[in-house]
Amino acid sequence: MTAHTAAATRVRTGGPKDDDGPKTLEHVMGWTLVVVVAMLVVQLGLL
């Protein structure tokens, strides 16, 4: 059994796929969340 046939016979468990979803939108939304949390921390004087 080669590595290719072993990979082909694995059962999908419902995790994320390699080729799904708008990656750019997820990236932008993630950085937006980081900026919003940073602004909140600065406004509350926790930094």
Side-chain angles (χ1 to χ4, degrees):
M1 180 181 285
T2 64
H4 179 69
T5 56
T9 58
R10 284 190 299 194
V11 176
R12 293 290 304 170
T13 59
K17 296 180 180 136
D18 292 336
D19 59 346
D20 65 334
K23 301 287 185 197
T24 305
L25 179 62
E26 289 179 14
H27 195 75
V28 169
M29 292 303 291
W31 277 109
T32 303
L33 179 63
V34 168
V35 170
V36 168
V37 169
M39 289 170 50
L40 179 66
V41 166
V42 170
Q43 283 288 66
L44 292 176
L46 300 175
L47 184 65

